[in-house]
Amino acid sequence: MLNYECYKATNDRKVDTESSCRIVLRNKNLGWDEYKFLLKTMVSSGIGEETYCPKNVIMGREENPSLIDSLEEMDDVFFDTLDNLFAKSGISPQEIDILVVNVSLLSPVPSLTARIINRYKMKSDIKAFNLSGMGCSASLIAIDLVRQQFKIHKEAFAIVVSTESFGANWYCGKDKSMMLSNCLFRSGGCSMLFTNNPDFKHRALFKLTSLVRTHFGSNDEAYECCIQVEDDQGYPGFRLTKKLTKAAAQAFIINLRVLLPKILPLWELIQYAVVYHRWSKENSPILEGVGEGLNLKSGVDHFCIHPGGRAVIDGVGKSLGLTEYDLEPARMTLHRFGNTSAGGLWYVLGYMEAKKRLKKGDRVFMISFGAGFKCNNCVWQVMRDLEDANVWKDCMDKYPPKTLTNPFTEKYGWINDERLSFLRIEDIDFS
């Protein structure tokens, strides 16, 4: 990897407690039970006051998004990150041999890769790939595709663009399992530049050493735990069920069985054999003890965990026996930027770099989960000391904050007061 650029939206798209409440109140389908649920979710989400929403949601058009809204949302991410990527790397758009774009919830014609090729007037023999429906783990799927292409195309340059279309997929109904996505997902994305040209080794930030993909879609519960559907009233959205944690654990364990022998030293593999035997037993605890008896830090130095939500981060941390120092980059990314889907991993990596944690020779364990259900993990070797503040530049001195407590509790906690349940929502001034 020669470079990566994360997207940061403009300040007029920030959503804090006040603006979040205004957006929620526009949904006239909600009642007291739904407001209580949203309050509890917002408070426990781990998301802070400076995340970003799509323009059409900020402007109150979430119920009737247009195709133009969706394409403009993509253009903002694509062209901001790619302009910076080309400028900083010194590589021109016409030198790109492979282009992979992953956006799960938008697949227009012409394709999104065609949109980029047209904008930058890329060469006619470029190999272009569009990945849709891959969910939050799509970045590593795209990188694996690049890795396979590099076996055929020598001394090539490749770009991966990872983002998500949220504006057109904002849920306007009242199904609690589908309301979760509005609370967790936020605008963001990243563009990355790769090469297999050895002449550029001295300029590389990272080298990919291992990548393992696991697809658990054959399991019905796993397949349905994270799925795009319509509710009983016909409102489309994204359903996240209580089975998601279990599916993530099962896919994670399957993935680690393949990945850990590739990254752990010999003396740890003996311990691994013992743990593997325990995993094979029936009724083993979900997401507990996966890393028990293993010294993962004998094989990796940093843990780049998908910031999918507090439960995801807590679960991975507990399963691998990680410290709060290890989990800090994922927690702070969730707090500052929210769950930006497939782009989220790169904000976590950016936090590590901005904090000057990444030194030459270090190994970064990247962990991702996504709809399907998929678990895709990889390990990067740091090629030189890194200290670019990147997308964190304007707020690095504020992190980590003294507390991650959401102010929504203090201001709107009274919603949970049963003595006020006789009130009607329309009779209350939330300002």
Side-chain angles (χ1 to χ4, degrees):
M1 182 191 293
L2 295 179
N3 222 317
Y4 67 102
E5 287 292 324
C6 293
Y7 174 71
K8 182 163 64 177
T10 52
N11 287 337
D12 60 342
R13 288 174 56 186
K14 282 186 178 180
V15 282
D16 56 11
T17 301
E18 297 286 344
S19 54
S20 294
C21 186
R22 287 196 294 271
I23 292 171
V24 168
L25 289 171
R26 289 203 297 258
N27 187 347
K28 301 306 179 183
N29 292 309
L30 306 185
W32 276 111
D33 286 343
E34 288 78 24
Y35 282 111
K36 290 178 182 178
F37 173 77
L38 282 172
L39 170 64
K40 182 179 179 181
T41 302
M42 289 178 180
V43 168
S44 62
S45 67
I47 294 179
E49 292 283 274
E50 296 188 301
T51 58
Y52 304 96
C53 254
K55 289 180 182 177
N56 68 296
V57 176
I58 294 291
M59 298 175 69
R61 299 201 310 271
E62 63 268 25
E63 285 200 57
N64 300 290
S66 67
L67 178 60
I68 292 177
D69 288 331
S70 297
L71 293 176
E72 287 182 350
E73 182 183 7
M74 295 299 96
D75 288 350
D76 286 345
V77 178
F78 290 171
F79 304 142
D80 178 85
T81 57
L82 288 171
D83 285 351
N84 290 332
L85 193 72
F86 292 130
K88 291 184 179 180
S89 68
I91 304 298
S92 75
Q94 290 71 37
E95 294 179 86
I96 303 304
D97 303 287
I98 302 161
L99 174 63
V100 185
V101 173
N102 62 260
V103 177
S104 291
L105 300 174
L106 179 66
S107 186
V109 178
S111 68
L112 294 174
T113 51
R115 199 169 182 84
I116 293 172
I117 292 168
N118 177 260
R119 165 67 177 255
Y120 293 103
K121 309 306 177 188
M122 292 176 166
K123 57 188 181 182
S124 59
D125 62 346
I126 189 171
K127 306 299 181 288
F129 303 88
N130 286 274
L131 303 181
S132 63
M134 295 294 175
C136 297
S137 65
S139 273
L140 297 192
I141 297 173
I143 290 171
D144 187 43
L145 178 56
V146 168
R147 183 175 65 161
Q148 300 304 324
Q149 287 293 306
F150 276 169
K151 294 177 181 179
I152 305 170
H153 306 285
K154 305 302 181 182
E155 299 185 357
F157 290 107
I159 280 181
V160 168
V161 184
S162 292
T163 187
E164 192 51 272
S165 172
F166 292 128
N169 294 280
W170 195 266
Y171 179 60
C172 298
K174 61 178 184 178
D175 186 315
K176 292 179 181 178
S177 66
M178 298 173 72
M179 289 161 59
L180 284 170
S181 61
N182 291 356
C183 297
L184 292 173
F185 289 106
R186 294 292 184 268
S187 297
C190 184
S191 291
M192 298 140 267
L193 176 62
F194 303 92
T195 187
N196 60 349
N197 188 334
D199 292 341
F200 286 81
K201 183 178 180 179
H202 68 286
R203 292 179 53 183
L205 304 180
F206 304 95
K207 178 183 177 181
L208 183 66
T209 61
S210 300
L211 191 154
V212 174
R213 291 168 53 184
T214 299
H215 203 307
F216 199 46
S218 60
N219 180 285
D220 291 342
E221 283 187 354
Y223 174 79
E224 296 173 358
C225 75
C226 188
I227 189 168
Q228 188 179 19
V229 294
E230 289 185 352
D231 67 12
D232 293 339
Q233 294 179 298
Y235 289 103
F238 208 70
R239 175 172 291 151
L240 304 174
T241 76
K242 294 180 179 179
K243 301 296 184 180
L244 192 152
T245 304
K246 179 180 177 182
Q250 292 172 316
F252 193 34
I253 289 172
I254 294 170
N255 188 281
L256 291 183
R257 287 174 179 169
V258 179
L259 180 62
L260 291 185
K262 298 176 182 290
I263 65 177
L264 293 178
L266 180 60
W267 63 84
E268 283 297 329
L269 293 181
I270 299 174
Q271 292 278 11
Y272 169 79
V274 175
V275 175
Y276 181 92
H277 177 71
R278 183 162 62 246
W279 282 344
S280 66
K281 294 180 179 180
E282 294 293 329
N283 301 319
S284 58
I286 296 301
L287 264 181
E288 291 185 8
V290 174
E292 185 180 346
L294 288 170
N295 178 17
L296 292 179
K297 293 185 179 179
S298 64
V300 294
D301 303 284
H302 309 281
F303 297 84
C304 185
I305 304 167
H306 169 57
R310 198 177 75 172
V312 172
I313 299 169
D314 288 346
V316 172
K318 184 176 181 180
S319 69
L320 299 182
L322 304 183
T323 66
E324 276 304 312
Y325 177 84
D326 297 322
L327 299 177
E328 180 184 306
R331 289 201 197 283
M332 297 308 108
T333 297
L334 181 65
H335 185 268
R336 176 61 182 85
F337 294 100
N339 181 351
T340 54
S341 190
L345 287 170
W346 311 101
Y347 293 87
V348 180
L349 192 67
Y351 183 91
M352 295 178 185
E353 183 175 358
K355 284 292 185 180
K356 302 180 181 180
R357 293 188 179 191
L358 303 179
K359 305 299 180 183
K360 183 177 180 179
D362 284 357
R363 296 147 300 180
V364 181
F365 185 11
M366 194 169 270
I367 302 169
S368 69
F369 303 95
F373 192 87
K374 297 181 287 293
C375 176
N376 301 316
N377 301 331
C378 72
V379 176
W380 299 95
Q381 180 182 342
V382 182
M383 301 301 287
R384 52 189 168 92
D385 292 356
L386 302 177
E387 54 183 33
D388 184 2
N390 53 79
V391 76
W392 291 90
K393 184 176 181 179
D394 67 340
C395 59
M396 199 71 264
D397 58 334
K398 302 176 185 177
Y399 281 89
K402 294 180 179 179
T403 178
L404 297 179
T405 301
N406 193 304
F408 203 99
T409 307
E410 181 178 348
K411 185 152 189 175
Y412 300 112
W414 54 266
I415 290 177
N416 281 326
D417 191 336
E418 295 295 338
R419 295 171 297 178
L420 300 177
S421 59
F422 66 91
L423 293 173
R424 298 181 304 170
I425 295 296
E426 57 267 28
D427 293 332
I428 300 172
D429 181 4
F430 281 84
S431 62

